[in-house]
């Protein structure tokens, strides 16, 4: 995976871990996330706010993640998800 298509903010998150001629593959991204102790999704977010949400959500145990997601879905989609 080439770093070029990554958004500017997400790319900036990678920049400090890469040399100019480096390319990224999934294994490298997994290693970076593991070393930083963050979910892989954190490295790909478009905004700092979303990055913080991913980080906070990832710290929750799975049962709390499911409960939080259900609560957000109820708030955002009170009539259920839109179907095409």
């Amino acid at each position: 995976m080439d770093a070029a298509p990554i958004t500017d903010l997400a790319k900036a998150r990678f920049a400090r871990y890469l040399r100019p001629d480096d390319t990224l593959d999934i294994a490298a991204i997994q290693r970076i996330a593991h070393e930083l102790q963050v979910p892989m999704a954190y490295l790909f977010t478009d905004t700092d706010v979303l990055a913080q949400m991913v980080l906070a959500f990832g710290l929750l145990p799975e049962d709390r993640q499911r409960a939080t997601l259900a609560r957000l879905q109820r708030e955002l989609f009170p009539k259920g998800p839109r179907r095409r």
Side-chain angles (χ1 to χ4, degrees):
M1 173 182 204
D2 189 284
I6 300 171
T7 63
D8 289 340
L9 284 174
K11 189 174 180 181
R13 288 189 185 91
F14 284 110
R16 67 186 77 149
Y17 307 104
L18 301 174
R19 293 179 295 250
D21 60 337
D22 282 346
T23 58
L24 295 176
D25 59 23
I26 289 295
I29 295 166
Q30 287 173 326
R31 284 192 303 275
I32 291 169
H34 178 76
E35 287 297 317
L36 295 174
Q37 298 180 345
V38 298
M40 279 180 46
Y42 172 84
L43 300 171
F44 291 97
T45 60
D46 292 333
T47 67
D48 287 335
V49 171
L50 186 55
Q52 292 302 311
M53 291 204 51
V54 167
L55 186 59
F57 195 80
L59 293 173
L60 295 172
E62 188 174 342
D63 62 327
R64 299 260 324 268
Q65 287 179 357
R66 290 182 187 281
T68 302
L69 177 59
R71 196 168 46 251
L72 280 171
Q73 286 175 326
R74 283 192 306 273
E75 183 178 323
L76 296 172
F77 310 108
K79 296 181 182 181
R82 295 179 193 172
R83 301 185 196 260
R84 292 181 182 202

